[in-house]
Amino acid sequence: MTFIDRIEELSTLENEYNSEKSNLVIIYGRRRVGKTSLIREFLNKHNDSIYFLATEEKEENNLRNFKYLVSKFINNKLLNDALIDWYDIFNYLVEYKTSTKKIIVIDEFQYLGLKNAAFPSVMQKIWDLILKDNNVMLILCGSLVNLMISQTLNYSSPLYGRRTAQIKLKQISFLDYHRFYPNLIFKELLLSYGVTGGIPRYIEMFNNCNDIYEAISDNILNKNSFLYEEPYFLLQKEVSEIGSYFSLIKSIAKGCHKLQNIAVDLNVKQTNLTKYLNVLIDLDLIEREVPITEYDPSKSKKGIYKIKDNFILFWFKYVYPNINYLETNNINYVLDLIKNSYEANYMPYIYEEIARTISFKFAVDKKIYINRIGRYWDNKTLEIDIVGLNDDGNIALFGECKYSKHKVGLSVLYELENKVKTVNELNKYTNKYYVLFSLSGFSDDLISLSKERNDLFLIKGIDEYDE
């Protein structure tokens, strides 16, 4: 598959490479998010590089494999047979002269620390004594997020303070999603994104499927398929109590978003959930959301928990609760359940998230200078899907999105405007703009009104977000 996006990350790597000093770059992020592809894309432009993939084998085996790669790189066959340690190998690397800056990549770095708890200290000494002053670029990459943080970024790590840059690689934005599927219409992109999210590996697997439900059946529901047990693989090496985490994610997936509701659902104390929730947040699987009017989110009592990874949300909503049917090969039964609720109950939530992403880009294009975007809700029933704010400029953008078979009319706009008027914290903004999203289009009278008003925008699909 063609390498897509990651412009900012590639720019960071190039800037580090082009500096006159040595560089230590930490790259981390969940499995399948594209870390290795990013590194290889970067290395394609630079010849004097060595890429080493650490494994879960003994440290001696990793040392031997690394030594073999280095011996080939510096064209020294004797090195491969020598009884030397990590320090000696890096000394050989530094002494070998190249026409450009040497790049040394250690992928899945955390496995070396797993096999030898002192290895981050070994790496720290190698950096301080051998690499730091020799115009070398060292990239340490890993997919076990918590281990990478503890081994390279935390204050307690021997490598703390050595990094010159760090990249936490996240999912591809929906704004770039159409580049993977140039032949799909907007709604088809939505349906696919609802399952794969922005994970390149998942996107690649769905790439050749003409029907979303066929793709789900073949790649997820089939118990021999690649994604059938994917959440187990994502979590089993990150956490020790995988059952507790599965129960927690399942509770959120079925609609328990407040801490107290999750605790009741799982029959545990709220205080017992905090550490599990924080781990899942660090792994980019869930997030804590507060109304956009809350200016100190960490202290807000209105926080709710959401699954931010589309595949995880889909899996825990449709696969995990029906695992017994799938294990007995009742795929069609589960697929029918999905067909009956996917667009009616699941996709409106996904569409709302995407609408906020599009709204921010749209606001920039229209020179509506908001600097944060989210949504608003109160303790009763009032909700606003899209709220973008710029406090300094006294600018606000408000929006609603409808995943429906019916066209959106004037009533949706008037209802949105009335909502804003009832919330003092939102109505105070003097420069208000309104944006409405609808898959099925808009009524003639609403379209006519939008042509008369400079503060009203209607967005239907791919053409608008692509402009």
Side-chain angles (χ1 to χ4, degrees), residues 347-360:
M347 281 308 302
Y349 166 85
I350 302 297
Y351 186 39
E352 185 181 313
E353 292 287 337
I354 290 171
R356 281 190 284 274
T357 300
I358 296 174
S359 293
F360 199 87

Side-chain angles (χ1 to χ4, degrees), residues 191-192 195-196 205-206 209-229 311 314-315 318-319 325-327 329-339 342:
L191 292 173
S192 181
V195 182
T196 68
M205 297 187 68
F206 275 54
C209 298
N210 296 320
D211 178 80
I212 183 63
Y213 298 111
E214 176 186 340
I216 289 170
S217 178
D218 292 345
N219 295 297
I220 301 177
L221 303 186
N222 186 326
K223 63 183 179 182
N224 297 318
S225 63
F226 179 79
L227 295 176
Y228 181 69
E229 294 185 310
F311 174 76
F314 178 89
W315 196 88
Y318 294 114
V319 178
Y325 293 109
L326 296 173
E327 284 293 315
N329 295 317
N330 286 300
I331 292 178
N332 288 335
Y333 173 77
V334 178
L335 189 61
D336 285 341
L337 292 177
I338 295 172
K339 289 179 178 179
Y342 186 64

Side-chain angles (χ1 to χ4, degrees), residues 379-400:
N379 292 325
K380 299 176 182 177
T381 58
L382 191 149
E383 293 185 15
I384 302 177
D385 296 338
I386 302 162
V387 181
L389 301 177
N390 183 331
D391 299 312
D392 295 333
N394 204 13
I395 297 171
L397 175 72
F398 305 105
E400 294 285 344

Side-chain angles (χ1 to χ4, degrees), residues 292-293 359 370 376 384-389 395-400 413 416-417 419-421 423 425-429 431-437 455-457:
I292 197 168
T293 50
S359 293
I370 57 175
Y376 175 83
I384 302 177
D385 296 338
I386 302 162
V387 181
L389 301 177
I395 297 171
L397 175 72
F398 305 105
E400 294 285 344
L413 171 63
L416 173 60
E417 291 176 322
K419 287 180 182 178
V420 173
K421 289 177 182 177
V423 182
E425 300 136 289
L426 300 179
N427 194 45
K428 68 180 183 180
Y429 291 86
N431 300 306
K432 299 185 184 71
Y433 298 87
Y434 299 90
V435 57
L436 300 178
F437 287 78
D455 64 340
L456 173 61
F457 305 97

Side-chain angles (χ1 to χ4, degrees), residues 132-355:
K132 185 177 66 172
D133 299 317
N134 280 289
N135 196 29
V136 172
M137 184 173 184
L138 175 64
I139 299 176
L140 305 180
C141 179
S143 58
L144 298 185
V145 175
N146 287 328
L147 279 175
M148 282 299 292
I149 291 174
S150 65
Q151 291 182 19
T152 64
L153 297 174
N154 276 356
Y155 181 77
S156 58
S157 167
L159 287 167
Y160 179 80
R162 269 76 179 176
R163 73 185 185 277
T164 58
Q166 75 281 329
I167 297 172
K168 184 177 184 181
L169 202 61
K170 299 191 176 184
Q171 298 191 25
I172 299 287
S173 169
F174 181 77
L175 296 176
D176 290 300
Y177 196 71
H178 66 288
R179 295 170 62 190
F180 290 96
Y181 303 114
N183 297 321
L184 296 188
I185 62 173
F186 185 69
K187 183 177 179 180
E188 291 170 336
L189 290 171
L190 293 179
L191 292 173
S192 181
Y193 189 78
V195 182
T196 68
I199 299 296
R201 183 69 179 95
Y202 306 164
I203 298 171
E204 182 181 355
M205 297 187 68
F206 275 54
N207 198 34
N208 296 321
C209 298
N210 296 320
D211 178 80
I212 183 63
Y213 298 111
E214 176 186 340
I216 289 170
S217 178
D218 292 345
N219 295 297
I220 301 177
L221 303 186
N222 186 326
K223 63 183 179 182
N224 297 318
S225 63
F226 179 79
L227 295 176
Y228 181 69
E229 294 185 310
E230 178 71 355
Y232 290 99
F233 298 124
L234 280 175
L235 286 171
Q236 67 180 356
K237 292 178 182 177
E238 291 279 9
V239 302
S240 56
E241 305 169 58
I242 194 168
S244 298
Y245 286 93
F246 267 43
S247 296
L248 178 54
I249 300 173
K250 180 184 177 183
S251 181
I252 298 174
K254 73 179 184 181
C256 298
H257 298 293
K258 295 182 178 180
L259 184 60
Q260 62 189 50
N261 294 340
I262 299 171
V264 169
D265 185 53
L266 300 179
N267 194 27
V268 298
K269 295 180 179 178
Q270 294 184 33
T271 52
N272 293 344
L273 294 174
T274 305
K275 72 170 185 176
Y276 298 102
L277 290 167
N278 288 338
V279 168
L280 292 172
I281 289 172
D282 288 340
L283 294 176
D284 268 344
L285 297 182
I286 71 168
E287 63 182 337
R288 183 176 181 269
E289 182 187 24
V290 299
I292 197 168
T293 50
E294 297 289 297
Y295 289 98
D296 191 348
S298 62
K299 295 181 180 179
S300 174
K301 296 181 180 180
K302 297 180 180 179
I304 64 172
Y305 292 91
K306 298 165 45 182
I307 298 173
K308 64 183 296 189
D309 182 295
N310 286 358
F311 174 76
I312 293 296
L313 176 61
F314 178 89
W315 196 88
F316 276 93
K317 194 171 186 66
Y318 294 114
V319 178
Y320 193 51
N322 296 299
I323 205 76
N324 290 330
Y325 293 109
L326 296 173
E327 284 293 315
T328 53
N329 295 317
N330 286 300
I331 292 178
N332 288 335
Y333 173 77
V334 178
L335 189 61
D336 285 341
L337 292 177
I338 295 172
K339 289 179 178 179
N340 289 333
S341 71
Y342 186 64
E343 288 201 62
N345 302 319
Y346 181 87
M347 281 308 302
Y349 166 85
I350 302 297
Y351 186 39
E352 185 181 313
E353 292 287 337
I354 290 171

